[in-house]
Each structure stands twice: as structure tokens, then as C-alpha cells.
Amino acid sequence: MVLPRRNGEKLCSPFRSINVSIILIWTMVIYIVLDISLHLLSINHEQIRSEVKKDSLESKPDMKALASGEFEESESSESDDAVPSEKSCNTIEDYIDVKEGQAREAEDPWNQLKWCLPPAACRVNGHLIERAKRRVFTDLGANSFHTSIAWFATRYPVDFTEVYGFETARNLLTLPPGWDENSNWIDPGIHGWRKIRSRAGMVPSWFVRRVKTINKAAGVKDTGFSVNVTRFIKEELKLQPEDAVIVKIDIEGAEWPILYEWLKDPAMPKIVDELFVELHYFHPDNNWGSVKQWSREDATKMLAELRFKGFYAHYWD
């Protein structure tokens, strides 16, 4: 008997049950739903951006006033959130960020980032340093080149035109050889690994030429061993308030006479735009006998007095 051939393949084919019009309808429905969802999300994001922009504009200080050094308190800075009612900013105590015996909390970011974020309760004068023709970094207690000179050069938001490093140990602060970016090329006649000249992590020669080393101690008198830093800044460098001047001090206790002198000099807070200082004081844990006349409370008050006098000062460690 000859059986008839079955057409099971055609009968079971899934394409026989697909309706093209239904596919088109569902495609349009999915497209419309996605389009509406994306539109609603964009509206929500735009509202959030508008609110953030509004808040930032309300809290942003008057940069023109900052540049002229004539900044006045705005209405927004007098709000409860911006300026606490107990902050008068008229005494040194108003600038003390922590009382003796009180646990130290994280410092307000504005005290560490001068050029962004809302202002602190008690402000100091300043100007837009990136506009200055002379941008000077003076490192008192430079240690080795990569300790702080390279650190500031790579992290501080200014291209320094002049760098002065004070370090008594001649063999400690030595400048790297530097390399010329224009000569960092590949010789087409050399093949393989020899053709690769890597300069990763090295200091360009143009920056090394901007660095001057002074192998003397920073102090308040000119001697064979020390340099009067105030005279050096004012007379030798002839720095003015319109220049950008950043100073870092880490000189193992010798900072105290310099800072006391600067507190009495009304010109220095106008010249120095930002001051980083490590204040050395006696504590049983460190046993520094050379600074036994100064306590942690003295260090806290010194920083507050520097800010009160107009220095934009931070702890450096």
C-alpha cells in the first residue's frame, strides 16, 4: 500500500499563525510607550538641573567683588544655613574651628577649596589667581623635589610661573634632569622596543627651569644661614597683591616667628593668596622639645588669628 505524503512541515510552521498587521500594531504601541517614558524622564531631569542651577547661583559668591577684594556679605550669606547667627566674624575666636577638648570634625570644604563651593561663615579676601601674570609658589621647607613642589605643581589648579624652594640640606632638594617634549620622538630607522622612548613620570624641562632652590633656612633675619622671608617676598621678588602667591611652610617650629611677624604686617595677607602651614607644638605623643613653649591650643588660635587677619590659611601636614 502506498501512503500519501504528509505535509506536516507546512501544517506546523509557525509563520502560518503570524499576522503582519498585529506585529505592526504592537511595534507602534511599544514605540509610543517608550517615547512617552523618555519624554517624562527628560522633563524630570530638566527640573532637577534647574533647581541645582538655581541653588548654585544663589550660593555662589560675587567673583568680581572677590577679585577686587571688596566682598560684602550678600543676603543669601545671611541666611541661617550660610552664616550661623552666633558667627560675628569680628573676633579671633570666631575663626577658631574647634574648641580645646572638642572632637575635630571634617573641615568645611570651602576652607580647603577656595575657588568653588559656597563661602564659609567667616570669609577672607582673595582674587582670581588664574588671571595673574605672576603665579608664584614659595615652598618653605621643601624637603625633596617630589615632597611638595611636584605635589603642588600637579594638584594645585594653577600653572606656576615661578617656584622657590627653601631647603637647608643641599643633597635633599635636587632638581630632576627634566626632559624636552620636542625631542621625545621616534627614530624611523630603529625597530622593535628600542624605538620606544618613554618619559612617563618624568618632569618636563620647561617646569624645571622655573624652579629656584635656596639652600638656607627660612626665618626673620638675614644671616649666613637664614633668609628673611618677608624681605625676600617683598623686596627681592617684589610681589604685589595683584600677583598670585601660594606659600607652604613646614620648617619644624621655625614657622612661629615668621607667622608672628606676618600677623603684625598688614601687607602680607594682601600679597599671600593662600597659606598652607604645619604648626608644630608640644604634645606628649611627639615629645618635640624645640617647640615646648607652644601647645595645641596655641596652634589652633594661631590659625584662627591668621584667618582673622585676612590670610587664607590651612593646616598642612
Side-chain angles (χ1 to χ4, degrees), residues 18-35:
I18 294 177
N19 191 320
V20 177
S21 61
I22 294 178
I23 293 176
L24 292 175
I25 292 173
W26 276 108
T27 302
M28 291 299 297
V29 170
I30 294 173
Y31 174 81
I32 293 172
V33 171
L34 289 175
D35 184 64

Side-chain angles (χ1 to χ4, degrees), residues 6-218:
R6 297 178 60 186
N7 295 326
E9 293 82 357
K10 293 183 179 180
L11 293 174
C12 298
S13 175
F15 294 100
R16 291 178 60 86
S17 60
I18 294 177
N19 191 320
V20 177
S21 61
I22 294 178
I23 293 176
L24 292 175
I25 292 173
W26 276 108
T27 302
M28 291 299 297
V29 170
I30 294 173
Y31 174 81
I32 293 172
V33 171
L34 289 175
D35 184 64
I36 294 174
S37 300
L38 292 174
H39 181 67
L40 293 175
L41 284 174
S42 64
I43 293 176
N44 188 32
H45 287 170
E46 188 63 31
Q47 290 175 347
I48 294 174
R49 289 177 60 187
S50 300
E51 293 175 1
V52 172
K53 184 177 180 181
K54 180 180 178 181
D55 293 340
S56 63
L57 289 175
E58 290 177 352
S59 61
K60 185 177 181 180
D62 188 346
M63 301 310 291
K64 291 183 178 179
L66 284 174
S68 62
E70 299 176 353
F71 190 86
E72 295 182 358
E73 299 290 339
S74 61
E75 293 182 0
S76 61
S77 66
E78 294 176 357
S79 64
D80 294 337
D81 294 335
V83 181
S85 58
E86 66 271 12
K87 282 283 187 180
S88 63
C89 302
N90 295 322
T91 65
I92 297 174
E93 286 69 21
D94 293 327
Y95 287 80
I96 294 179
D97 54 357
V98 62
K99 305 298 182 183
E100 185 65 19
Q102 177 185 354
R104 180 177 295 278
E105 298 179 355
E107 195 171 8
D108 190 320
W110 174 255
N111 292 336
Q112 300 175 0
L113 301 173
K114 185 173 185 178
W115 316 116
C116 59
L117 303 180
C122 293
R123 307 176 190 177
V124 294
N125 293 327
H127 62 270
L128 300 180
I129 60 176
E130 66 270 17
R131 296 181 182 177
K133 293 183 179 180
R134 294 184 67 186
R135 301 177 295 277
V136 182
F137 174 51
T138 303
D139 192 349
L140 309 183
N143 203 284
S144 65
F145 179 82
H146 290 280
T147 301
S148 53
I149 292 180
W151 190 93
F152 273 89
T154 55
R155 290 169 174 81
Y156 200 83
V158 166
D159 177 21
F160 293 112
T161 58
E162 305 168 46
V163 177
Y164 301 93
F166 283 75
E167 178 54 54
T168 56
R170 293 178 179 272
N171 60 340
L172 188 58
L173 180 58
T174 58
L175 300 182
W179 62 280
D180 187 2
E181 293 172 295
N182 295 326
S183 65
N184 189 33
W185 55 279
I186 297 176
D187 188 345
I190 300 177
H191 302 281
W193 286 105
R194 290 179 56 203
K195 71 187 304 182
I196 300 176
R197 297 184 179 183
S198 175
R199 296 294 187 271
M202 297 184 67
V203 182
S205 56
W206 58 262
F207 181 78
V208 176
R209 289 192 294 268
R210 299 180 182 182
V211 181
K212 302 294 185 295
T213 59
I214 298 96
N215 296 121
K216 289 187 177 183

